[in-house]
Amino acid sequence: MWLQHGEFRHFRNYPHLELDWAPHKNIFLGENAAGKTNILEAIYFLSHGRSHRTRHDRELIQWHQGVTKIELLGQSHHHGGSLSLEAQLALSPENSLKTVFKLNGNPVKSRSEVVGKIPTVTFFLSDLLIIRGAPEDRRSALDRSLVQYDPVHFKRMNAYNRVRQQKSQLLKNPPYAIDPDVLESLNQQLVATGAALMMARMTYLQQIETFAQPRYHELSQGRENLTLSYQPCFHQSFDVLSLEILQQSLYEAIRNVQSDELRRGQVLVGPHRDDVQFFLDAHDACLYGSQGQQRSIVLAFKLAEIQVLKHRLQDETTILLLDDVMAELDPTRQHQLLLNLDPRMQVFLTTTHLDSGLKWFIDQADSANIFEVSQGHVVREQTDLMSVIHAKSDER
Amino acid sequence: MGMIYTKPLARLIEEFQKLPGIGPKSAQRLAFHVLKRSGVEIQSFSEALLEAKEKIGTCSVCFNLSCENPCEICTSSARDKTLLCVVSDPRDLYALERTGEYRGLYHVLHGLISPLEGIGPQDLKLSELLHRLSSETEIKEIILALPPSVEGDTTSLYLARVIKPLGIQLSRIAFGLPVGGDIEYADALTLTRAISGRSAV
Ligand SMILES: [Zn+2]
């Protein structure tokens, strides 16, 4: 899949923007806060059915505007078919927000129907910090990635979150004394939805590990081995991958903290508190890994994501969104990343400057567009660099 | 808004706008439509509104909407009185009736358990259901026909817990479309059976 065309109306800082993209490399060049990330966010929004920057869709609407439209037109590399995806966000006079997604011109009943239609792997600046970040960052990085591999995961998360919110409300602010049968009914649902969520995460993490290990091996020149481990909040380690055992363990864990939950008015056990751990040999990379090692782990993880997703898509290619990461990677890791990418893959990349690594990357691409971004304006560049590239491709 | 509608027109638009799913534009369209119709038609329309409101009440047995109390279903001799189907909303009852497949009795809960909306078991027709089960001893089987949403499942699980000690057979049918369409969900009752041996609240 590659995106041919994008049109945004009243989206973030863009009143109206129409862009034609190159099938391979698209570089957005500009100062910080110029609006480069907004373009990637629009693609992310239609790929994931939500923004990675906010939970509130209304923040996507340009200041003082009432209706936002994001339209993307994609082409399949594989069978040549085309795909159009659209999101329309409209504020009513009563200030309530209505979001409608359209797939090939037809409104869909639920946004889950658009998730994964534009398969993307995202690599953002913030991803480089997840190893040392909060468990929540690691969980959401895993869920974000898993949703692209298995779009049903979007529904799993929604179902679990709804049950958790119901239980949390019951514990927090009971209008009457808590009915033990209501609590137990919610606990059973928490187990049903929670175990399904955990199971999906664990299975996916194993797949990622399989592909990430050799990548890490290369990056560290064989100095140490990477292992990934899913850490349920109630259990030290978990090797079993039987749904039934998982359900039982989760259920027992919930029963064990019941009195604490009632006292504190919080949902204390469930996959919303789980974590992912990264080990180099036997050492926890969060505690003992150097910054360089941590970045290599994230890079290996991202490269594995691309490979695992490619598995699902078979002959179709994924789209890679790279936001501000290049400048943060040293030349070796930058090279490792760029070298490992399928040349057919469409890449959207933001950067503040073109260094030699990026110039090489653009240079060897079959097609490349460079867009200069500044304060709500995006101009396709016709620079010397582009003419050099065109001259070179003519020679071939 | 500075609109210069004549007063009765402004009032009519305002009333239409109070209806669910009707925004200012639709309300205006409906109001102008009313003005175009004949007096007889509008007379009949307004009478229908008043009559429905005056005559329709809820059945004190099953809580279905009805002009009679008890309702036509509860008093019908053609109905299988050993079978009771629990629904959350009268609209679900009508949907089941339209299929013509079901010949038992109903019980309408008028809602689903949802702490987020402040709805607990005491806000539903649940104690009335339990009372029915103890007084109408013919009832041998209960079918739960609640929507496959988190709230529908919570209510089903809850009912399973409180009905189970009565020794009445309980089953569940998949019914309706998921609310919001975003819930994909294993049959929670299967799970109840799997772990019920371990739970003791
Ligand atoms: Zn009745």
Side-chain angles (χ1 to χ4, degrees):
Chain A
M1 168 74 60
W2 67 280
L3 297 173
Q4 193 175 34
H5 185 80
E7 184 172 355
F8 316 139
R9 271 181 204 277
H10 301 307
F11 174 73
R12 293 279 191 188
N13 67 332
Y14 296 109
H16 181 218
L17 183 62
E18 251 189 288
L19 295 171
D20 284 314
W21 289 313
H24 302 96
K25 314 298 177 241
N26 294 277
I27 316 293
F28 299 93
L29 188 62
E31 301 286 305
N32 287 326
K36 306 186 297 287
T37 301
N38 297 349
I39 298 169
L40 266 56
E41 183 184 28
I43 299 172
Y44 186 100
F45 189 71
L46 283 181
S47 170
H48 283 258
R50 50 182 287 194
S51 167
H52 63 285
R53 292 154 112 193
T54 173
R55 281 182 208 182
H56 309 289
D57 288 353
R58 64 177 64 219
E59 287 176 23
L60 307 185
I61 300 174
Q62 194 187 11
W63 197 243
H64 292 316
Q65 294 294 330
V67 182
T68 289
K69 222 160 120 177
I70 310 167
E71 264 183 280
L72 295 177
L73 187 65
Q75 296 286 336
S76 166
H77 268 308
H78 174 43
H79 47 74
S82 67
L83 170 92
S84 83
L85 267 188
E86 185 185 326
Q88 196 171 331
L89 293 78
L91 281 176
S92 74
E94 297 81 35
N95 203 34
S96 70
L97 179 71
K98 195 174 178 205
T99 306
V100 177
F101 284 85
K102 287 183 186 174
L103 182 59
N104 295 323
N106 303 313
V108 294
K109 260 194 293 203
S110 141
R111 66 175 71 196
S112 66
E113 290 175 52
V114 302
V115 175
K117 288 283 183 287
I118 298 170
T120 53
V121 170
T122 50
F123 192 176
F124 298 147
L125 189 57
S126 54
D127 289 322
L128 286 170
L129 306 171
I130 59 164
I131 309 280
R132 199 164 276 178
E136 189 193 349
D137 302 330
R138 290 184 286 272
R139 274 195 310 271
S140 76
L142 182 66
D143 284 331
R144 270 203 324 253
S145 154
L146 174 45
V147 149
Q148 291 296 310
Y149 175 71
D150 177 10
V152 170
H153 195 64
F154 186 85
K155 297 182 184 180
R156 276 188 211 112
M157 289 195 291
N158 278 354
Y160 176 76
N161 286 332
R162 181 75 184 172
V163 176
R164 183 173 59 82
Q165 284 163 6
Q166 289 284 16
K167 180 175 168 182
S168 165
Q169 185 62 41
L170 182 77
L171 292 173
K172 198 169 20 187
N173 190 20
Y176 319 89
I178 292 176
D179 184 326
D181 286 312
V182 174
L183 181 56
E184 180 58 19
S185 304
L186 283 169
N187 279 341
Q188 291 184 7
Q189 287 201 84
L190 206 78
V191 169
T193 54
L197 185 66
M198 290 170 75
M199 187 74 182
R201 284 179 180 169
M202 288 160 121
T203 316
Y204 180 67
L205 194 67
Q206 276 193 343
Q207 276 180 282
I208 290 287
E209 185 186 44
T210 310
F211 287 98
Q213 278 171 338
R215 294 287 85 77
Y216 187 82
H217 202 78
E218 284 163 28
L219 284 161
S220 69
Q221 279 134 13
R223 272 194 296 272
E224 65 254 321
N225 291 309
L226 171 68
T227 45
L228 309 179
S229 159
Y230 190 80
Q231 301 283 318
C233 60
F234 57 86
H235 207 289
Q236 272 310 299
S237 66
F238 232 109
D239 294 328
V240 281
L241 282 179
S242 140
L243 187 59
E244 206 163 287
I245 293 173
L246 202 53
Q247 286 173 345
Q248 281 170 11
S249 311
L250 180 56
Y251 186 70
E252 273 159 26
I254 290 171
R255 304 280 317 160
N256 288 341
V257 296
Q258 181 125 309
S259 53
D260 280 353
E261 287 192 328
L262 287 166
R263 201 179 60 245
R264 291 170 57 181
Q266 283 179 333
V267 183
L268 298 176
V269 165
H272 64 291
R273 293 205 157 201
D274 292 352
D275 199 356
V276 177
Q277 280 187 312
F278 301 84
F279 292 95
L280 294 177
D281 293 333
H283 306 292
D284 185 343
C286 167
L287 301 173
Y288 304 106
S290 67
Q291 196 196 53
Q293 284 170 321
Q294 294 183 355
R295 292 189 166 189
S296 290
I297 294 173
V298 175
L299 187 52
F301 191 104
K302 288 290 156 188
L303 289 169
E305 252 186 83
I306 295 171
Q307 278 182 290
V308 172
L309 185 55
K310 200 169 149 188
H311 236 69
R312 164 172 91 80
L313 299 171
Q314 297 180 339
D315 287 330
E316 198 56 83
T317 54
T318 88
I319 291 164
L320 180 63
L321 306 177
L322 289 171
D323 192 23
D324 274 345
V325 280
M326 291 320 252
E328 288 296 316
L329 295 176
D330 59 72
T332 319
R333 290 191 182 84
Q334 218 187 69
H335 197 68
Q336 273 288 344
L337 170 63
L338 299 179
L339 208 61
N340 266 294
L341 301 180
D342 180 345
R344 290 187 306 154
M345 178 158 60
Q346 190 180 30
V347 178
F348 291 85
L349 184 155
T350 68
T351 186
T352 49
H353 62 282
L354 290 176
D355 57 20
S356 58
L358 276 177
K359 280 179 183 156
W360 167 83
F361 181 60
I362 297 164
D363 195 16
Q364 51 84 50
D366 284 337
S367 65
N369 282 349
I370 299 174
F371 300 93
E372 220 165 322
V373 184
S374 63
Q375 303 313 323
H377 294 281
V378 180
V379 184
R380 179 144 155 225
E381 223 178 69
Q382 309 288 347
T383 59
D384 289 347
L385 181 66
M386 286 306 289
S387 49
V388 169
I389 290 162
H390 286 304
K392 282 199 176 175
S393 57
D394 288 344
E395 282 167 27
R396 278 198 292 245
Chain B
M1 302 279 271
M3 291 280 187
I4 329 161
Y5 294 125
T6 180
K7 250 191 183 164
L9 180 57
R11 184 183 163 197
L12 185 58
I13 293 175
E14 214 181 286
E15 289 299 328
F16 273 125
Q17 221 179 307
K18 290 177 190 165
L19 300 176
I22 305 289
K25 271 189 187 165
S26 306
Q28 193 201 50
R29 192 167 50 85
L30 290 170
F32 278 92
H33 178 77
V34 164
L35 298 180
K36 270 189 254 167
R37 305 293 291 267
S38 73
V40 182
E41 285 174 305
I42 297 306
Q43 182 79 35
S44 156
F45 180 61
S46 59
E47 277 168 14
L49 289 175
L50 288 170
E51 189 188 2
K53 191 61 205 168
E54 267 167 28
K55 294 199 177 157
I56 301 174
T58 52
C59 167
S60 59
V61 179
C62 71
F63 299 94
N64 179 23
L65 300 178
S66 171
C67 297
E68 312 289 329
N69 189 13
C71 73
E72 299 87 338
I73 294 176
C74 286
T75 52
S76 164
S77 57
R79 290 276 170 170
D80 181 350
K81 298 206 161 35
T82 68
L83 216 54
L84 184 74
C85 179
V86 180
V87 295
S88 76
D89 190 286
R91 281 169 293 185
D92 299 337
L93 183 154
Y94 296 129
L96 282 164
E97 281 298 288
R98 273 196 296 274
T99 67
E101 297 285 324
Y102 178 73
R103 302 301 304 157
L105 301 174
Y106 289 98
H107 191 88
V108 186
L109 294 176
H110 288 273
L112 296 167
I113 296 171
S114 173
L116 286 169
E117 291 156 281
I119 303 172
Q122 61 290 324
D123 302 306
L124 310 175
K125 304 293 177 196
L126 265 168
S127 55
E128 291 85 347
L129 172 64
L130 295 175
H131 181 255
R132 259 184 104 175
L133 296 179
S134 60
S135 62
E136 295 174 39
T137 48
E138 317 88 297
I139 298 173
K140 293 283 177 282
E141 187 183 348
I142 294 176
I143 299 164
L144 302 178
L146 302 177
S149 60
V150 166
E151 294 72 29
D153 284 345
T154 304
T155 312
S156 289
L157 286 162
Y158 180 87
L159 286 171
R161 291 186 67 77
V162 297
I163 291 169
K164 210 182 159 201
L166 307 176
I168 301 172
Q169 200 191 325
L170 197 66
S171 61
R172 190 178 184 211
I173 57 163
F175 182 72
L177 287 168
V179 177
D182 273 346
I183 310 298
E184 190 188 79
Y185 205 55
D187 183 348
L189 283 187
T190 318
L191 184 79
T192 330
R193 284 191 285 275
I195 58 180
S196 56
R198 329 175 126 260
S199 71
V201 174

